[in-house]
């Protein structure tokens, strides 16, 4: 018992002192090991060695649950290579959820010293120190959702497409894991374009993506208090409300922009157009599958998708981006300022000014990373700004959708995307946790002065 308590104390202390280092080392190690395995001849369908950049890019994309590819997944990789990719996806998804949840518990434990009532409300006073229970909960939640989606897909592949049992099971499991972890890797060269009109494939995959993108804290609270929304935390309410608004808004926007586009929605019947629009809106939340040809979309659709990809999903989940909570905080700050309110109130609670600064910092760092990468890639290629911006935001948001230029980029540009995937997967989490844990006592305050704004 004493040793367990001591180990838990050391883990908590390490999360407080160096969350960024612990997460970066863990994910970096997984990426390197995965790349080394994918380089082996046994991992490629041709039985030849895979180049360093291709293996590193694929491993990073899998561990960071992005889905961008530089080689055709179903054609290039052997069955062993595909299993390695699947394992890397699962490890990446579970890893980010576990690290995020542990940091959340460490932060709650710290805050409880100053406000036990707040901590009790946020954690429901159960398992704040139960790290083992937390890990088990994440694992059980992940496997349960993946299994449920896999069963639906298995039945559909078996009965609707004539797959044999083995192939149906493999495709069901692979796409279920890839979807819940918001990875976007598919076993088809054209992603899921062959299922564009099939709700029995598109909707279960969309459900898994949405659930994975909500984040474990939200899923846990919904499981325990689904019928008592008045008990939901601010985080849960923001994530659910923002997710619904962005999904509906993305669906409507995509349908309006692409309804008559002969290269995307145009050839489909009305019901299939709505389904494809919804599917695209879901994927832009950092999953990365596509049921229509993204390369044929209009520029304005790409731009709208860029916005959705940058926002991403909920915190402590498998989705990437700056997170819907960060975006919502900025929106509420703007709304309060336009109304002339001295405080920012959300769902009957007041936001701390520290949260204002954290959200602004995360967004500005994200914009700086995206713009820096866009400028660098534009300087070394002759691709249009629209396509480069789309690829860069897709990499940073760990989305995986592409206009088709990723594989053709030079090695230096692909290395930039590798760095962006790593930064996009870990950056918002580590930066946010670092800002939350940082506490600097100032013994004095400087006099105020107001510069002109606008």
């Amino acid at each position: 018992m004493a040793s367990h308590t001591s180990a838990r104390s050391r883990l908590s202390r390490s999360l407080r002192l160096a969350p960024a280092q612990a997460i970066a080392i863990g994910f970096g190690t997984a990426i390197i090991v995965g790349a080394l395995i994918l380089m082996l001849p046994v991992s490629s369908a041709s039985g030849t060695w895979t180049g360093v950049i291709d293996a590193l890019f694929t491993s990073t994309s899998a561990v960071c649950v992005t889905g961008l590819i530089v080689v055709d997944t179903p054609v290039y990789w052997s069955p062993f290579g595909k299993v390695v990719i699947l394992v890397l996806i699962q490890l990446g998804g579970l890893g980010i959820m576990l690290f995020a949840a542990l940091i959340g518990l460490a932060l709650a434990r710290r805050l409880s010293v100053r406000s036990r009532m707040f901590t009790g409300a946020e954690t429901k006073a159960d398992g704040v120190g139960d790290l083992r229970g937390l890990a088990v909960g994440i694992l059980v939640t992940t496997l349960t959702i993946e299994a449920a989606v896999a069963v639906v897909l298995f039945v559909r592949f078996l009965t609707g497409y004539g797959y044999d049992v083995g192939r149906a099971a493999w495709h069901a499991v692979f796409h279920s894991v890839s979807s819940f972890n918001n990875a976007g890797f598919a076993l088809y060269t054209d992603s899921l374009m062959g299922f564009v009109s099939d709700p029995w494939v598109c909707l279960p995959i969309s459900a898994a993506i949405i659930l994975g993108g909500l984040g474990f804290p939200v899923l846990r609270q919904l499981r325990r208090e689904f019928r008592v929304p008045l008990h939901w935390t601010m985080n849960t309410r923001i994530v659910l409300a923002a997710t619904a608004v962005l999904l509906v808004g993305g669906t409507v926007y995509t349908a309006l922009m692409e309804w008559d586009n002969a290269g995307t929605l145009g050839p489909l019947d009305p019901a299939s157009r709505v389904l494809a629009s919804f599917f695209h809106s879901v994927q832009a939340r950092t999953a990365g599958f596509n049921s229509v040809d993204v390369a044929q979309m209009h520029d304005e659709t790409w731009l709208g998708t860029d916005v959705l990809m940058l926002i991403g999903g909920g915190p402590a989940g498998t989705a990437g981006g700056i997170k819907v909570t960060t975006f919502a905080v900025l929106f509420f700050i703007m709304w309060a300022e336009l109304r002339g309110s001295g405080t920012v109130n959300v769902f009957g609670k007041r936001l701390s000014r520290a949260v204002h600064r954290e959200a602004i910092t995360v967004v500005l760092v994200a914009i700086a990373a995206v713009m820096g990468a866009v400028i660098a890639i534009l300087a070394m290629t002759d691709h249009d700004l629209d396509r480069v911006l789309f690829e860069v935001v897709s990499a940073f948001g760990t989305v995986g959708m592409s206009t088709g230029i990723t594989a053709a980029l030079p090695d230096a540009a692909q290395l930039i995307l590798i760095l962006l995937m790593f930064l996009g997967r870990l950056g918002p989490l580590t930066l946010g946790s670092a800002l939350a844990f940082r506490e600097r006592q100032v013994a004095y305050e400087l006099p105020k002065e107001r510069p002109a704004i606008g």
Side-chain angles (χ1 to χ4, degrees):
M1 181 68 179
S3 62
H4 175 69
T5 303
S6 177
R8 189 172 61 198
S9 177
R10 288 195 301 271
L11 176 58
S12 175
R13 189 162 54 252
S14 66
L15 285 172
R16 288 169 184 257
L17 296 177
Q21 292 90 325
I23 297 174
I25 291 173
F27 272 73
T29 301
I31 289 171
I32 292 173
V33 172
L36 292 174
I37 296 175
L38 290 176
M39 287 175 62
L40 299 175
V42 69
S43 296
S44 66
S46 62
T48 58
W49 289 87
T50 298
V52 175
I53 298 297
D54 290 346
L56 181 62
F57 194 102
T58 303
S59 179
T60 304
S61 185
V63 173
C64 295
V65 291
T66 304
L68 282 175
I69 57 175
V70 289
V71 295
D72 191 356
T73 302
V75 175
Y76 184 86
W77 301 110
S78 67
F80 174 80
K82 294 169 187 173
V83 171
V84 171
I85 292 173
L86 184 65
V87 171
L88 293 176
I89 291 172
Q90 189 71 287
L91 289 176
L94 284 172
I96 200 68
M97 291 181 72
L98 182 59
F99 271 119
L102 290 178
I103 288 174
L105 286 186
L107 178 60
R109 193 177 289 127
R110 174 189 175 187
L111 292 177
S112 65
V113 176
R114 290 180 287 177
S115 179
R116 293 186 181 275
M117 290 181 61
F118 174 78
T119 302
E122 291 298 303
T123 64
K124 297 306 168 190
D126 60 353
V128 174
D130 185 7
L131 302 183
R132 179 179 298 177
L134 176 68
V136 171
I138 291 175
L139 181 62
V140 170
T141 299
T142 298
L143 296 182
T144 300
I145 295 174
E146 290 176 350
V149 174
V151 168
V152 177
L153 294 178
F154 171 76
V155 173
R156 184 56 178 167
F157 289 146
L158 190 67
T159 60
Y161 295 91
Y163 290 9
D164 58 61
V165 173
R167 186 186 182 198
W170 166 239
H171 280 238
V173 170
F174 187 96
H175 291 96
S176 174
V177 172
S178 183
S179 57
F180 177 76
N181 289 286
N182 280 221
F185 278 87
L187 294 177
Y188 307 95
T189 299
D190 60 356
S191 190
L192 299 179
M193 290 175 61
F195 307 100
V196 61
S197 300
D198 190 344
W200 291 101
V201 173
C202 292
L203 293 182
I205 287 177
S206 295
I209 292 166
I210 293 171
L211 291 174
L214 291 178
F216 177 72
V218 174
L219 292 177
R220 183 175 67 168
Q221 184 160 62
L222 290 179
R223 178 172 60 85
R224 297 179 177 182
E225 300 177 317
F226 180 76
R227 297 181 181 275
V228 282
L230 291 178
H231 292 176
W232 293 353
T233 64
M234 179 190 293
N235 180 76
T236 297
R237 296 183 184 189
I238 289 178
V239 170
L240 292 178
T243 296
V245 169
L246 292 175
L247 285 175
V248 173
T251 300
V252 173
Y253 183 85
T254 302
L256 290 175
M257 296 298 104
E258 299 292 321
W259 192 263
D260 295 322
N261 186 345
T264 55
L265 302 183
L268 305 175
D269 61 82
S272 296
R273 294 184 195 185
V274 174
L275 176 62
S277 298
F278 173 74
F279 193 76
H280 179 78
S281 179
V282 173
Q283 306 317 306
R285 306 298 311 292
T286 81
F289 295 110
N290 62 280
S291 62
V292 295
D293 190 355
V294 175
Q296 298 298 318
M297 286 182 166
H298 296 309
D299 293 350
E300 52 269 31
T301 309
W302 285 346
L303 184 58
T305 304
D306 289 339
V307 174
L308 293 175
M309 292 192 297
L310 185 62
I311 295 173
T318 55
I322 62 173
K323 303 296 185 294
V324 292
T325 46
T326 304
F327 176 77
V329 165
L330 292 182
F331 172 81
F332 286 119
I333 291 174
M334 178 193 72
W335 182 246
E337 192 65 28
L338 291 176
R339 297 176 59 202
S341 175
T343 60
V344 180
N345 301 318
V346 182
F347 298 123
K349 300 285 184 68
R350 179 172 57 86
L351 281 181
S352 166
R353 291 191 179 276
V355 176
H356 304 185
R357 297 191 297 269
E358 291 166 16
I360 292 171
T361 301
V362 168
V363 171
L364 290 180
V365 170
I367 292 174
V370 168
M371 295 309 299
V374 168
I375 293 172
I377 294 178
L378 284 174
M380 62 181 68
T381 68
D382 57 358
H383 293 295
D384 295 336
L385 172 61
D386 293 333
R387 292 181 183 271
V388 172
L389 178 62
F390 192 97
E391 305 295 310
V392 166
V393 175
S394 181
F396 179 82
T398 67
V399 180
M401 282 196 291
S402 173
T403 60
I405 68 172
T406 298
L409 293 174
D411 289 349
Q414 290 182 2
L415 286 173
I416 292 176
L417 293 183
I418 289 173
L419 181 61
L420 274 178
M421 287 189 285
F422 189 79
L423 177 63
R425 176 71 279 180
L426 304 180
L429 171 62
T430 55
L431 178 60
S433 63
L435 292 172
F437 281 119
R438 185 173 60 91
E439 184 173 339
R440 181 184 175 187
Q441 297 294 338
V442 180
Y444 61 91
E445 289 187 355
L446 297 175
K448 291 182 179 180
E449 186 172 349
R450 181 185 179 89
I453 301 296

